[in-house]
Amino acid sequence: MRIEPDIKKTLTTLVVMAIVFTGASWWARSAERAELESRIDAIKRQLGVEHKDTQGIETLRGHVAELRRQSETANKVVPNSIDLADVLRGLNNELLAQNVKNQEMQTHAIDSGPLFSMIPLTLKFDGTYDGVFALVRSIESMPRLTRISKLDLVGVPTDPSQPLSVRLELMSFSTTGTGRQRSSDE
């Protein structure tokens, strides 16, 4: 059996075309694969995770577990009514404990929403750096949910023994908007 030269050329051309097509497909896919691998490596470096190293993920998992534990043990209370006297009493006790001078408390209009109310307050007083820090820490750890939104300090930073003039803006929260018990027909 004899193969004609035209058929040999045709078969050779088909084989070469198949090899070229296979090589081109493999080359395009390998370039795409290399690019994806480099993007994965960059993201792993950004996350702090090395190749085959789960220590970064374990560290993050530990941080998440610690934050969950802290949120579960936090004894923050959002009362069912607006008890402004309770808020003011608690803040006054904290101010007295820090031995501040020229204290002034100012309440603002209560912002009532459909699910909760915010009681905005402003505190002005004179105190020391240590006293201000202790006051901020004690406000943040009060049992009632209270958040400090702004802290202004005016004083001489080079002389910590000089008193500071402090302005503190904070919010206290409650779950009802009116401060009175709702009746069943409301």
Side-chain angles (χ1 to χ4, degrees):
M1 176 169 138
R2 190 179 147 151
I3 300 177
E4 294 294 320
D6 291 346
I7 295 176
K8 283 183 182 178
K9 287 180 185 176
T10 304
L11 285 176
T12 305
T13 303
L14 285 174
V15 168
V16 168
M17 286 178 62
I19 291 172
V20 167
F21 177 75
T22 304
S25 296
W26 176 83
W27 181 76
R29 289 295 180 189
S30 69
E32 182 180 350
R33 188 186 82 232
E35 180 201 347
L36 289 173
E37 285 177 353
S38 69
R39 285 176 57 194
I40 288 170
D41 290 340
I43 290 171
K44 282 182 178 180
R45 279 192 304 277
Q46 187 178 13
L47 292 174
V49 178
E50 295 298 322
H51 293 291
K52 299 178 184 176
D53 180 23
T54 60
Q55 184 178 4
I57 294 173
E58 291 300 321
T59 302
L60 292 174
R61 185 177 291 143
H63 290 306
V64 168
E66 175 64 21
L67 290 172
R68 281 188 180 148
R69 186 191 62 74
Q70 287 176 359
S71 70
E72 289 170 359
T73 60
N75 293 325
K76 296 296 179 185
V77 176
V78 180
N80 289 329
S81 66
I82 299 170
D83 188 0
L84 190 54
D86 183 48
V87 174
L88 294 175
R89 191 177 309 109
L91 290 172
N92 189 48
N93 288 338
E94 297 299 334
L95 287 167
L96 291 173
Q98 299 311 319
N99 198 23
V100 299
K101 307 220 183 310
N102 301 327
Q103 66 179 341
E104 176 185 331
M105 275 191 242
Q106 184 178 16
T107 60
H108 304 284
I110 296 173
D111 185 9
S112 298
L115 299 176
F116 63 92
S117 295
M118 295 183 298
I119 306 169
L121 300 159
T122 303
L123 303 176
K124 294 179 186 177
F125 58 90
D126 296 332
T128 64
Y129 282 102
D130 292 336
V132 172
F133 178 72
L135 178 68
V136 168
R137 187 173 13 170
S138 64
I139 288 174
E140 287 289 327
S141 64
M142 288 174 68
R144 182 182 184 119
L145 182 60
T146 305
R147 290 292 177 241
I148 297 172
S149 57
K150 188 174 184 180
L151 173 65
D152 292 325
L153 300 172
V154 177
V156 182
T158 57
D159 187 5
S161 65
Q162 292 293 319
L164 296 169
S165 178
V166 180
R167 182 173 188 269
L168 192 66
E169 293 179 11
L170 50 103
M171 295 276 193
S172 187
F173 298 88
S174 67
T175 56
T176 61
T178 61
R180 61 183 171 87
Q181 295 296 332
R182 291 185 177 174
S183 64
S184 59
D185 53 281
E186 284 186 297

